[in-house]
Amino acid sequence: MTIKDCLNRAANENRDKVALRFKRNGTWDTTTFGQLRDRAWHVSEILASLGVVEGDRVAIYRENSPEWFEIYHGIVGIGAIAVPVDAKLREQEVRHIFHDCGVSVVFASSRFAETLSGMDENLTDLQAIVLLDGTDRSDSDDSKMYYFDHLLEKVAEKAKSNERAFDRMGPTASSPASFIYTSGTTGRQKGAVLTHHNFMTNVVSVLKAIPFRSDDNFLLILPLHHSFAFTAIVLIPLYARCQVTLVENLKTIKANMIETSPTVLLAVPLLLEKILARVMEGIRSNKVARVMYRYGLAKVVGRKVNAGLGGALRLIVSGGAPISPSTLNAWSKLGFCIVEGYGITETAPVLSINPPARPRVGTVGLPLEGVEIKIDNPDSDGVGEIIARGDNVMQGYYNNPEETAKVLVDGWYHTGDLGYFDAKGYLVISGRKKSLIVSREGKNIYPEEVEQQVLQSDLVLECLAIGYREPEETGERVGLIAVPNQERFDQMEQESGERLTEGRIGELVQEDIRKWLLALSDYKRPRRVDIRFEEFEKTTTQKIKRYLYAIDTGGQS
């Protein structure tokens, strides 16, 4: 099955069923599966009129919107390749993606018009820029710039005819559907070539692990350029023929949930932690709820919490980054079914997931059906690199055989993550291969273990455990860079009435960190702790760019 086949099946068999729910001009509106395909027909016709053929690369450079879905289906429906681009990337990063894969057409938010116009002269493959949400009713003076609404009107008649491009052209299961560019935690972005077959086999495997229902309502919060959001929100609901609700923005999540009663929430840990923090703050401020929560009636309190989130939430799935066991346990204590999964962009993306009926906190679950996972070169504790094989694994990185050869070996994708299987066969992630610290005694230290211990301090907002070397030494020592939790220190100043200097804040943070580090073996404890008052630079999926930071060997010990 191709993604196009999946759309056709949903439109033919459930034409009038709601596919998307979204707010427009302050009012909730909907798109049915039939309307979604109809809009995709129009997008395909626009592309054909611009000279796009099978295999051409077409970028989607905009924030989440109903149009994102129809544009994607219009692109892949004629066998072209979609290149989703993060709307928050810097101009040079966007230019690199367009240049790297030879984007010929881009659908973009109107606010990027000037940026794209400036790039145009250096991108010889770029033939057309189609601007969405613009107010003009005619095309721009720029010969390559068009307005989406205007083009829709031009192709309307042909898009509804029997000669439409969507029916004349199309992909095969082995055709690339997307080039998804990695978020770049270790440097320059690379485009993972993912086929229709890669995506659709992953969808089927996920649905065997988690039986989503046809009456489910998925809440869309995550950006659609991200592989987790794409497979989980664009493809799975399409295959299961259930509804997707788009939030207006991050500030309206709770209000939108109350208005639309979603049943499934897919989110990254950072968002789940923030929602949980607000929930716990509400419980602490209510004496009755506080007592009930403390004395075994947390699930009763949880029912009221669920009512405040629309009243229908039955499943929370965390992905995109590791989530702390304490966050999982807190949601579970309130009676919510929450599971953690594991995936990589290059594997379309899901590799394993905790079964809702028997999750194991601290693990990322069981491998999906059709996905082989093994531990490569395990050490004495059974920890080694996680490698995976299956029909969901990418073809390679576009135009980059060197990087492809590093990660694809004899059909196995080398994730760069370290882990092991527990006694029940559940996968446990230990850390990243490249961030592993090897001490002078030859001991392996996983930075994530050190960081997880330090982050229990309420004086620390975020931290990085990094290996460093003293002059003329061979092995590494453990160092730590910690960012103080300014909100907590502001609160301390308010309570005491005293102003805390940066130096004093640094001393308090270091003292508290040392207390928490006592739980670790001596060789794992940082020998140097640097204090940094700015948050770390992160990728758009909120992963810290570790490669940008190093320990100051002249700092405090």
Side-chain angles (χ1 to χ4, degrees):
M1 178 179 278
T2 65
I3 295 170
K4 176 179 179 175
D5 294 332
C6 195
L7 175 63
N8 276 331
R9 188 183 68 169
N12 290 337
E13 297 179 11
N14 298 85
R15 180 172 182 79
D16 298 323
K17 189 174 183 182
V18 172
L20 306 174
R21 186 177 299 276
F22 50 92
K23 237 180 188 178
R24 186 154 279 168
N25 301 320
T27 304
W28 286 102
D29 200 352
T30 61
T31 297
T32 66
F33 286 109
Q35 289 169 334
L36 178 59
R37 183 175 62 176
D38 183 82
R39 296 281 289 187
W41 288 346
H42 284 70
V43 173
S44 292
E45 209 59 53
I46 287 172
L47 290 170
S49 73
L50 294 172
V52 171
V53 297
E54 293 174 27
D56 282 354
R57 274 73 68 193
V58 179
I60 309 174
Y61 182 33
R62 68 166 288 124
E63 305 81 357
N64 289 358
S65 68
E67 289 80 15
W68 204 105
F69 291 76
E70 63 200 43
I71 290 167
Y72 184 89
H73 286 299
I75 294 167
V76 302
I78 58 169
I81 302 165
V83 184
V85 178
D86 182 356
K88 292 181 179 177
L89 288 181
R90 295 184 178 92
E91 183 179 333
Q92 64 178 22
E93 294 171 306
V94 176
R95 185 186 289 110
H96 163 67
I97 292 171
F98 284 17
H99 169 74
D100 187 60
C101 67
V103 165
S104 59
V105 175
V106 54
F107 289 88
S109 296
S110 293
R111 68 188 184 92
F112 298 129
E114 191 175 338
T115 300
L116 290 167
S117 187
M119 288 184 201
D120 186 20
E121 59 188 41
N122 298 316
L123 297 169
T124 54
D125 292 309
L126 188 59
Q127 298 302 310
I129 299 165
V130 182
L131 300 176
L132 294 99
D133 49 52
T135 55
D136 290 350
R137 303 305 301 162
S138 59
D139 294 333
S140 162
D141 291 337
D142 186 327
S143 60
K144 290 186 179 181
M145 201 166 280
Y146 305 86
Y147 289 94
F148 187 52
D149 286 350
H150 187 210
L151 291 178
L152 285 174
E153 289 176 6
K154 278 186 173 181
V155 302
E157 187 176 340
K158 194 164 184 184
K160 292 183 178 181
S161 75
N162 293 330
E163 296 300 313
R164 66 177 74 93
F166 188 91
D167 292 344
R168 285 187 290 107
M169 304 159 72
T172 64
S174 61
S175 300
S178 298
F179 289 171
I180 298 186
Y181 277 76
T182 56
S183 53
T185 54
T186 56
R188 206 171 192 188
Q189 295 186 314
K190 303 180 290 288
V193 180
L194 291 157
T195 68
H196 287 256
H197 185 63
N198 290 150
F199 284 123
M200 295 314 301
T201 54
N202 201 234
V203 166
V204 172
S205 296
V206 170
L207 285 167
K208 287 179 179 176
I210 302 180
F212 292 112
R213 306 189 307 233
S214 61
D215 62 346
D216 269 327
N217 178 10
F218 286 63
L219 191 70
L220 172 57
I221 299 172
L222 302 174
L224 289 171
H225 70 269
H226 190 242
S227 60
F228 172 43
F230 173 73
T231 297
I233 300 289
V234 175
L235 299 184
I236 287 175
L238 181 67
Y239 191 94
R241 284 167 277 184
C242 48
Q243 184 182 144
V244 173
T245 295
L246 286 72
V247 297
E248 294 171 85
N249 56 62
L250 292 178
K251 293 179 181 177
T252 63
I253 291 173
K254 187 175 180 182
N256 292 163
M257 291 180 79
I258 291 170
E259 293 168 331
T260 62
S261 299
T263 61
V264 179
L265 170 63
L266 297 108
V268 292
L270 182 64
L271 180 63
L272 294 175
E273 287 161 10
K274 286 184 175 180
I275 295 174
L276 180 65
R278 292 194 197 102
V279 166
M280 297 309 296
E281 189 179 328
I283 291 172
R284 284 191 293 268
S285 65
N286 183 308
K287 186 177 179 181
V288 175
R290 188 169 68 244
V291 171
M292 290 174 72
Y293 182 85
R294 190 175 296 168
Y295 294 103
L297 295 171
K299 289 186 179 178
V300 177
V301 177
R303 284 198 286 272
K304 291 194 173 183
V305 171
N306 200 338
L309 297 173
L313 194 58
R314 71 174 188 88
L315 179 65
I316 301 172
V317 181
S318 175
I323 188 168
S324 72
S326 61
T327 301
L328 289 170
N329 287 328
W331 277 107
S332 295
K333 186 175 179 179
L334 288 165
F336 289 88
C337 179
I338 179 168
V339 297
E340 181 179 12
Y342 167 62
I344 303 280
T345 296
E346 290 85 345
T347 61
V350 188
L351 290 171
S352 68
I353 198 159
N354 265 288
R358 46 195 176 96
R360 285 175 68 83
V361 172
T363 79
V364 292
L366 300 168
L368 294 181
E369 185 177 311
V371 175
E372 292 180 76
I373 297 178
K374 70 178 184 180
I375 307 302
D376 194 40
N377 293 320
D379 62 15
S380 57
D381 296 321
V383 176
E385 184 178 8
I386 299 166
I387 63 176
R389 182 168 66 179
D391 285 348
N392 57 318
V393 174
M394 69 170 183
Q395 289 185 339
Y397 295 119
Y398 181 72
N399 203 26
N400 202 333
E402 212 172 282
E403 290 299 316
T404 299
K406 289 179 184 177
V407 297
L408 280 179
V409 182
D410 298 326
W412 289 92
Y413 174 71
H414 288 244
T415 67
D417 290 323
L418 296 168
Y420 62 93
F421 286 106
D422 71 5
K424 298 283 187 181
Y426 285 64
L427 184 63
V428 180
I429 309 293
S430 301
R432 285 289 296 170
K433 186 178 178 183
K434 287 185 179 177
S435 59
L436 179 70
I437 300 167
V438 182
S439 73
R440 290 173 296 165
E441 296 80 22
K443 293 183 179 291
N444 289 345
I445 300 148
Y446 304 109
E448 291 80 3
E449 182 185 1
V450 178
E451 291 159 8
Q452 191 173 19
Q453 188 64 27
V454 171
L455 287 171
Q456 293 183 71
S457 167
D458 67 349
L459 301 186
V460 178
L461 178 67
E462 54 187 8
C463 65
L464 270 184
I466 301 176
Y468 71 96
R469 286 187 173 87
E470 293 285 6
E472 298 180 9
E473 283 187 355
T474 52
E476 292 180 300
R477 296 173 183 257
V478 183
L480 186 84
I481 306 174
V483 177
N485 183 351
Q486 194 56 56
E487 191 175 325
R488 180 71 183 96
F489 284 105
D490 290 345
Q491 186 182 0
M492 289 167 65
E493 286 182 339
Q494 196 171 358
E495 291 168 355
S496 66
E498 293 181 19
R499 174 76 176 167
L500 293 170
T501 64
E502 285 191 0
R504 181 58 182 150
I505 288 173
E507 289 171 5
L508 291 170
V509 169
Q510 294 211 27
E511 286 170 17
D512 205 48
I513 284 173
R514 287 194 184 97
K515 291 177 190 173
W516 287 105
L517 288 172
L518 291 174
L520 295 178
S521 301
D522 182 65
Y523 74 91
K524 296 179 182 178
R525 295 177 201 163
R527 295 300 184 259
R528 294 189 180 277
V529 178
D530 291 350
I531 302 298
R532 169 187 170 88
F533 284 88
E534 290 179 33
E535 292 186 31
F536 296 113
E537 187 171 338
K538 302 176 184 71
T539 68
T540 55
T541 51
Q542 296 306 297
K543 294 173 186 173
I544 295 171
K545 294 185 176 181
R546 287 180 176 269
Y547 70 97
L548 294 178
Y549 302 97
I551 291 296
D552 178 6
T553 53
Q556 288 180 283
S557 59

